[in-house]
Amino acid sequence: MDQKETIESGSRSRAVLYGAGVIFLLSVSVLVFAGARLALRAGDAAENAAAAVEPISDRVRELFVAATPVILPNPATIVNEINDLARLETASYELEKVITADSGQEGLVDLFLGESMVFVAHGKVFAGVDLATMTPEDLAVVDPDTVMVHLPQAEIFSDIPVLDTDQSYVADRDTGLLTKGDPNLETQVRQAAEDAILEAAQSSDILDRANFNAQQYMTGFLEGLGFTEVIFTQDIPTDVPPYEQPVPKGYLIMPTPSPAGG
């Protein structure tokens, strides 16, 4: 074999080697790419499987999670707090009245034995409700947000003095020439003035205002305890259905454990 043939044979061998190397590199690249794609697909499949299983696991977990029970406020406890407010004065009526009294004598008898008095009476009447008379039956807790209340009827407090002694006075008093005057006349006039003021107050709207203001006050008091709806009833609330707590699906209401020794 001459030198030319030897050179040509060497060139063909190198070309074959180069081609085999290129094919090998391409094969390795394809294998690496295919492996990477397979790994990514496996990762996505695992994530999808975990996402599909997660809601099921959550639902299974919910079966073992106890819902928090709602504890309704105790009506007796609330009423005890209301009783502490005692008597609630929610309206007043103020009046000035002129009362005239005389002995009823006529002619000369009146000149010698008669007596007259002009009394200016200034008084104030208070009305409200006596919360100390409320009992647990007067209050019913419907649900955690709603309560029904039966308030005592408003009344005029008769034990509070009506006449204001600082502003009430005898404007004029005349006695006969032969009499020193009746020492009980002013007392009788004061009593008559007090009765007149009470009668005027009772014919006014003082009791309606007292009832309304008592409801407004009690609404604020109960809202301070967490209630959002306060319903006032004319009679003692009865037949209030027991509260049933709505329970989410998959939850159970676990009873609240009793205190030790209870």
Side-chain angles (χ1 to χ4, degrees):
M1 178 179 299
D2 57 12
Q3 185 177 359
K4 181 179 180 179
E5 292 179 348
T6 301
I7 294 172
E8 291 178 352
S9 176
S11 298
R12 285 196 296 274
S13 298
R14 283 195 297 272
V16 170
L17 289 174
Y18 289 154
V22 170
I23 293 172
F24 176 75
L25 290 175
L26 289 174
S27 299
V28 170
S29 299
V30 169
L31 289 175
V32 171
F33 179 76
R37 292 281 295 179
L38 182 61
L40 289 175
R41 290 181 178 178
D44 292 341
E47 290 180 1
N48 293 335
V53 172
E54 186 175 357
I56 298 176
S57 63
D58 288 343
R59 291 185 179 182
V60 173
R61 190 182 304 112
E62 289 175 355
L63 295 176
F64 299 95
V65 177
T68 302
V70 174
I71 307 301
L72 295 182
N74 189 333
T77 302
I78 298 176
V79 169
N80 287 337
E81 295 181 15
I82 293 175
N83 289 158
D84 290 340
L85 299 175
R87 203 166 61 176
L88 189 64
E89 299 173 2
T90 55
S92 64
Y93 181 89
E94 192 168 2
L95 178 67
E96 186 172 88
K97 202 168 184 66
V98 177
I99 304 296
T100 301
D102 60 61
S103 60
Q105 305 292 340
E106 296 182 1
L108 292 177
V109 178
D110 182 62
L111 177 62
F112 291 99
L113 301 177
E115 183 177 5
S116 64
M117 178 184 294
V118 177
F119 183 77
V120 179
H122 188 95
K124 195 171 186 178
V125 176
F126 294 90
V129 294
D130 188 358
L131 300 178
T133 63
M134 288 187 65
T135 66
E137 287 73 24
D138 290 313
L139 187 142
V141 178
V142 180
D143 57 47
D145 301 319
T146 308
V147 61
M148 300 176 69
V149 184
H150 171 247
L151 283 178
Q153 285 297 312
E155 59 181 301
I156 292 177
F157 297 133
S158 58
D159 58 339
I160 299 178
V162 173
L163 289 182
D164 185 339
T165 56
D166 293 333
Q167 299 189 55
S168 300
Y169 59 94
V170 176
D172 184 47
R173 183 170 187 174
D174 292 326
T175 58
L177 297 176
L178 300 178
T179 180
K180 295 182 180 180
D182 184 357
N184 297 321
L185 182 60
E186 184 175 344
T187 301
Q188 295 170 1
V189 170
R190 286 179 174 273
Q191 184 61 55
E194 184 171 324
D195 293 341
I197 294 174
L198 280 173
E199 183 178 354
Q202 290 168 351
S203 62
S204 70
D205 64 342
I206 186 173
L207 293 179
D208 292 335
R209 290 190 290 115
N211 275 321
F212 177 79
N213 292 339
Q215 290 182 2
Q216 294 294 105
Y217 183 90
M218 191 55 59
T219 297
F221 176 79
L222 293 172
E223 286 179 348
L225 297 180
F227 294 103
T228 58
E229 184 177 5
V230 181
I231 302 172
F232 293 97
T233 62
Q234 293 294 329
D235 302 310
I236 295 177
T238 56
D239 301 328
V240 178
Y243 172 67
E244 295 183 3
Q245 180 181 350
V247 183
K249 187 177 180 180
Y251 281 73
L252 295 175
I253 292 294
M254 301 299 292
T256 304
S258 301

